[in-house]
Amino acid sequence: MFPESLRFSVAKSVNQGIRWLLQTHGSAFDSFSSGILGLLLWVQGRLVSVPWWGYIVIVAVMAWIATRKIVPTLVLAFLPFFIGMFGLWGLAMETLALVITSVVIALAIGIPFGILMAEANLFADIIKPILDAMQTMPSFVYLIPAMMLFGLGKVPAVIATLIYALPPVMRLTCLGLQQVPKPVQEAARAYGATRWQLLKEVRIPLAMPSILAGVNQTTMMALAMVVIASMIGARGLGQEVLMAINRIDVGRGFEAGISIVIMGIVIDRITQGLAKRWDPNRR
Amino acid sequence: MTENIIEVSELWKVYSKKDINFNVEDEDMIESLDVSGDSVVAVRNVSFSVKPGEVFIVMGLSGSGKSTLIRCLLRLVDISWGSVRINGQEITAMNKRELTEFRRHQAAMVFQHYGLLPHKTVIENVAFGLKLRGVPKKERRERAAETLKIVGLEKWDNYYPASLSGGMRQRVGIARALVADTPLLLMDEPFSGLDPLIRREMQEELVRIQEELHKTIFFVTHDLDEAMRLGDRMAVMKNGEIVQIGKPPEVFANPADDYVARFVQDKREEIRKTDEQMAALATQPEKAVNNDVS
């Protein structure tokens, strides 16, 4: 056994730290919280203003652009229909708003940071262990403090989703930039490209397939997080799953679960298809 | 004022995993670099000069430092020691901005593996150097289109490099270098990846372009045929050093050492065989020769 004399606990200081944050910077967290909530409600408002058949049309058009095949387009356009038939349309919209808001914030942070990681090795060395922690830390560990700092409901859900879904887009942006062939970069430098021109004209366009794969991964992970986020009071499909579990209502849980799967498949196929369209090597 | 467009003196390039403070006077140190596993002396005390309008060939086996040497001229790799003057400007003393300006206006490079941008069309690739300089879109398109005519690819302007053959891609690479309108053209084994027939065609095309434009061309190759066909003067490199400089026929006739001699030997053998075959043909009866021709 590990010697008792070497025992050292940080649990107490972490607790005190969180309490200190709450007491001294509580109002800052509150205003941050209301900012995120505003954005979330705005997104949700836009989503709700589109009628249900509008989504079928939007999904069909995007699926066509992404796949250029009749059958997958029809299947993808028809799938959301099931969500409505299960009577879960409203909850699905709330989930979608949560996913979209989280993904937009994740991309706004993740892509620039990914670029910085590729440009500065020291920065990458510092960030990488943090990303590892974000991906392996059990989500309940940060779900509770997030709830303490940002209150119950959707805002801590967005924060928790961010922590969980941010790493893939950052990693894949960085990886994509690093994998741009050296001869192509050398040619651009030989013709007098500055660092910024090299990034804008050569590296980012050529890293685009990888960056878009990161966007896809981040979206998928955000969707996976919504069930867990419902435990801290975020409404949506996750809440339905949670309720079904509590009542041991397998059928109801199945409907909500299938609805999440449908959203996942539709979003995944569309973003993947768009990523492929973007691939310069496929033209 | 210098008469030479390129003047390289006592140039050294050391690739090293460790940070080293390179100094030519320190012979012990150079010796230790040669012995150690994590450093390579790629270019070793190289000096030469190239006159305007000259086609200067650097020949050597792979690993002889010729590709590193051509990269030193644009400072695409850091120079360890020595001086590189191009058009009277000292490359090693330039700051970042001066170096960018220099690369944009003084020299254009053609690469063995083309180095084309796969996400840009042929005409966008050709216009790329002009775009970096900030030439307005309309003007750079016009100039790129004109240059594409020189290399015979005017009909391919909106294709992507992936749909072009190797020879055509290198034509795009050459057009990209020509449109920059620089006095100096650097070519790093531009035709090595092409099959022999296309290579021959491209060499002839380069000769034609050179007759028209009178550039100074610094040309790296491992092919003696190519050196003989294109070069006004040539340098032979071995282990980072230049072992002989001269006009190609001189090098061919009087190789400076065994290494150069081995290089030209194959070629001599080839010529001897052709001579023998020609002689054999000449001694054959008239009828047989006629059959051959028809």
Side-chain angles (χ1 to χ4, degrees), chain A residues 113-255:
Chain A
F113 271 60
I115 293 170
L116 272 177
M117 278 171 75
E119 289 285 291
N121 288 331
L122 179 68
F123 185 72
D125 290 344
I126 296 168
I127 288 286
K128 269 180 188 159
I130 300 176
L131 292 184
D132 292 336
M134 285 161 78
Q135 283 184 300
T136 47
M137 181 75 79
S139 43
F140 295 104
V141 174
Y142 50 80
L143 219 46
I144 306 304
M147 190 182 66
M148 286 164 73
L149 293 171
F150 300 102
L152 271 175
K154 285 186 170 155
V155 177
V158 170
I159 304 293
T161 309
L162 268 182
I163 292 173
Y164 188 64
L166 193 56
V169 71
M170 256 164 96
R171 281 188 210 274
L172 283 163
T173 299
C174 174
L175 185 73
L177 290 172
Q178 283 169 344
Q179 280 179 340
V180 172
K182 288 284 175 286
V184 177
Q185 296 192 50
E186 187 182 47
R189 286 204 300 137
Y191 280 91
T194 59
R195 202 173 181 181
W196 169 243
Q197 283 176 323
L198 188 65
L199 199 59
K200 176 170 154 273
E201 298 284 337
V202 180
R203 299 182 70 199
I204 291 179
L206 289 180
M208 220 47 190
S210 179
I211 295 175
L212 289 174
V215 173
N216 172 279
Q217 283 300 300
T218 287
T219 314
M220 288 298 106
M221 293 184 76
L223 201 52
M225 192 64 186
V226 293
V227 178
I228 297 166
S230 68
M231 294 190 169
I232 48 170
R235 282 164 53 83
L237 291 172
Q239 184 197 30
E240 187 73 9
V241 174
L242 197 66
M243 235 158 8
I245 293 170
N246 287 340
R247 295 176 192 171
I248 322 181
D249 187 345
V250 179
R252 196 172 164 189
F254 183 76
E255 281 184 349

Side-chain angles (χ1 to χ4, degrees), chain A residues 2-16:
Chain A
F2 198 78
E4 191 69 24
S5 57
L6 292 178
R7 193 144 161 207
F8 173 76
S9 173
V10 291
K12 209 172 184 182
S13 25
V14 171
N15 285 337
Q16 278 168 352

Side-chain angles (χ1 to χ4, degrees), chain A residues 183-184 186-195 197-198 200-202 205-206 280-281 283, chain B residues 71 74 76 100 103-104 108-109 111 115-120 128 131-132 160 162 176-177:
Chain A
V184 177
E186 187 182 47
R189 286 204 300 137
Y191 280 91
T194 59
R195 202 173 181 181
Q197 283 176 323
L198 188 65
K200 176 170 154 273
E201 298 284 337
V202 180
L206 289 180
N281 301 315
R283 279 193 283 234
Chain B
R71 277 161 180 74
L74 272 182
L76 288 171
T100 300
R103 286 173 180 165
R104 286 179 183 177
M109 189 155 166
F111 297 85
L116 300 178
L117 307 173
H119 59 295
K120 289 183 187 283
F128 184 64
K131 186 176 189 183
L132 295 178
Y160 285 91
R176 177 174 66 179

